[in-house]
Amino acid sequence: MCAAVLAGTALSVSGLALQTVFCNPLAGPFVLGISSGASLGVALSLLAGFSFGNFGVLGAAALGASVVTIIVMWVSGRFRNVGVLLIVGLLLGYLIDAVVSVLIAGSEAEALRVYVTWSMGSFGRVLLDGVWVFALAVAAGLVLIVVSMRYLNAARLGDDFARGLGVRVELSKKCVLLGASILAAAGTAFCGPVAFVGIAVPHLAFMLFKTTDHRVLVPGAALCGTVLCLLAGLFPVSVPLNAVLSIVGVPVVFYVLVRGSRTGWW
Amino acid sequence: MAADVLLKCEKLCVGYGGGSTLFEPFDFELRAGELVGLMGVNGCGKSTLLKTLAGLVPQVSGNVFLDGSPLQSWGARERARRVGLVRMSGSAPDRMTVREFVGLGRSPYSGFLDGRTAEDERIVDDAMQVTDVSCFAERPFSELSDGERSRVFLAEAVAQQVNVLLLDEPNAFLDIPRSHALFRLLRKFVETREMGVVVSTHSVEYAEKFCDRIAVIDGGRFRVAPASEARNLGLLDWARAE
């Protein structure tokens, strides 16, 4: 249960931060490939044998997530179109999946079993001593995001506008993206590649709280994410977590797409 | 005694990176209580000049002083409390209401967590009232017309309580009555709030009627003259239809 609360918070806040920074309503740790980057880190540590306990897996995941985030940030600076960013994220995801399948081909049966179980996604496997590490990583990510509150509130209007309001954009952006990467990495490392929480929950929070003020949205998204993950955790173990989350997530994303076509995003 | 100099340019050269300059170096002072119209053909560098004065683009050479200190020496937030640039082009933030948008103007004054006090709320209300946007305060920004947006952009800068207000073609999307109202409002700001305002516009009529001085960028030079003399001094020659 602790795992569901932590993962729900981590992925939702990460998704909210990414959507705000990239001014893209369809951004999220999963869509942008950041979760995949974390997965690669996990795969390397589980399959290729670089295992150093909880910190090792988390560290590898955070590193993988950060590398993908840097690539995504670089791309977003070059292409203004919101679609390009998503496609790049998807491509990175595919690339990483390919690398992981090569790793799988060369790995031993026991390591493979651990990896496959992890990759199904679950809130039930985090052990008690692991929870502390998980909580610590989530807290670190949240702090990085919360200290950049002024930037988050101005970011949707563009960097120049935020600068005009006296926000130190470059510093804040790095802070937020690092925070979002850590959160996505923590959620992924401990609970597997969990889909749709990051992309869908920020919109649920918007709908519920009807504000763009991140002082409300950050805790709001954390709350919505927690509730969603707790509900998803209620299903019997035989139902894969990602199946439940997809059933909730896809309609939300679809709604955002339809709504976006009305307001002229695409 | 002359009014306080709010903004002072010394041998200022503006342009975008790489050292290429848009026009010759110039000196200019903006005093409290004056409205200066900035004119020139498209692409002559009006917007870049305004961005430079707002500290958003570094100058190529020369100096800009804000309240007596070099612009770059001000902290980002301190600077944002003194100088604000109002632009009409801005991505429409989805879902953000007019009130939330105007409230962003209080951001340079807010604490670490971007909180707002009752005083902030009062200033936001006042800014919306004076720019006549209170009637649609709760509407989403993205649903507004261009003309309504122009006023909301201005309201945000008013909430920022700057004393140097820079506006980049604020009447581009406004109809004639609204343009009049805008320039009357700018006059009111300079007269009652001790602000110094630089407004770029293509409207010679408004510049001559409402501004104290007119600055023109023409033929690679920046020239400035009192509004009443600008025409006789030939500053407006470029604007004549042949």
Side-chain angles (χ1 to χ4, degrees), chain B residues 18-216:
Chain B
S20 63
T21 61
L22 289 160
F23 45 90
E24 290 174 14
F26 67 95
D27 294 331
F28 173 68
E29 281 183 359
L30 178 70
R31 294 173 183 281
E34 77 170 340
L35 176 58
V36 178
L38 176 62
M39 308 195 73
V41 294
N42 285 336
C44 69
K46 296 189 296 292
S47 299
T48 312
L49 171 58
L50 291 174
K51 279 191 206 170
T52 310
L53 297 182
L56 300 178
V57 171
Q59 66 264 37
V60 175
S61 64
N63 285 307
V64 183
F65 295 93
L66 176 65
D67 282 349
S69 306
L71 193 56
Q72 270 75 18
S73 71
W74 291 96
R77 213 190 285 211
E78 288 293 312
R79 193 189 64 220
R81 293 178 191 178
R82 285 169 176 78
V83 54
L85 171 59
V86 180
R87 276 176 294 180
M88 296 304 128
S89 55
S91 50
D94 186 42
R95 294 191 181 100
M96 191 178 264
T97 64
V98 169
R99 196 188 167 76
E100 286 179 318
F101 182 84
V102 177
L104 287 175
R106 298 310 293 162
S107 174
Y109 300 86
S110 69
F112 173 65
L113 292 179
D114 206 14
R116 297 285 186 272
T117 63
E119 174 71 1
D120 286 328
E121 296 300 335
R122 194 193 57 73
I123 291 166
V124 168
D125 283 332
D126 174 59
M128 290 197 297
Q129 184 123 43
V130 79
T131 50
D132 197 18
V133 302
S134 304
C135 47
F136 46 83
E138 302 306 326
R139 269 173 58 197
F141 185 91
S142 52
E143 288 177 8
L144 303 181
S145 73
D146 285 335
E148 290 167 332
R149 274 182 204 190
S150 306
R151 280 143 62 201
V152 175
F153 281 125
L154 179 63
E156 184 274 315
V158 173
Q160 217 172 317
Q161 291 189 316
V162 292
N163 38 20
V164 177
L165 182 62
L166 311 168
L167 300 103
D168 197 354
E169 299 194 19
N171 62 331
F173 298 112
L174 295 180
D175 55 24
I176 292 168
R178 285 285 178 200
S179 297
H180 266 111
L182 170 77
F183 276 87
R184 276 200 304 273
L185 185 62
L186 295 180
R187 278 248 56 100
K188 193 172 139 198
F189 286 159
V190 299
E191 279 156 20
T192 63
R193 301 192 181 203
E194 286 298 292
M195 288 161 90
V197 179
V198 180
V199 51
S200 78
T201 179
H202 284 300
S203 168
V204 176
E205 182 201 338
Y206 294 140
E208 287 194 296
K209 186 171 172 192
F210 292 102
C211 295
D212 298 301
R213 289 194 289 161
I214 296 180
V216 170

Side-chain angles (χ1 to χ4, degrees), chain A residues 150 153 157 206 211-212 215, chain B residues 95 100-101 107 113-114:
Chain A
R150 290 177 66 243
N153 278 335
L157 292 129
F206 276 128
T211 175
T212 54
R215 277 186 306 142
Chain B
R95 294 191 181 100
E100 286 179 318
F101 182 84
S107 174
L113 292 179
D114 206 14

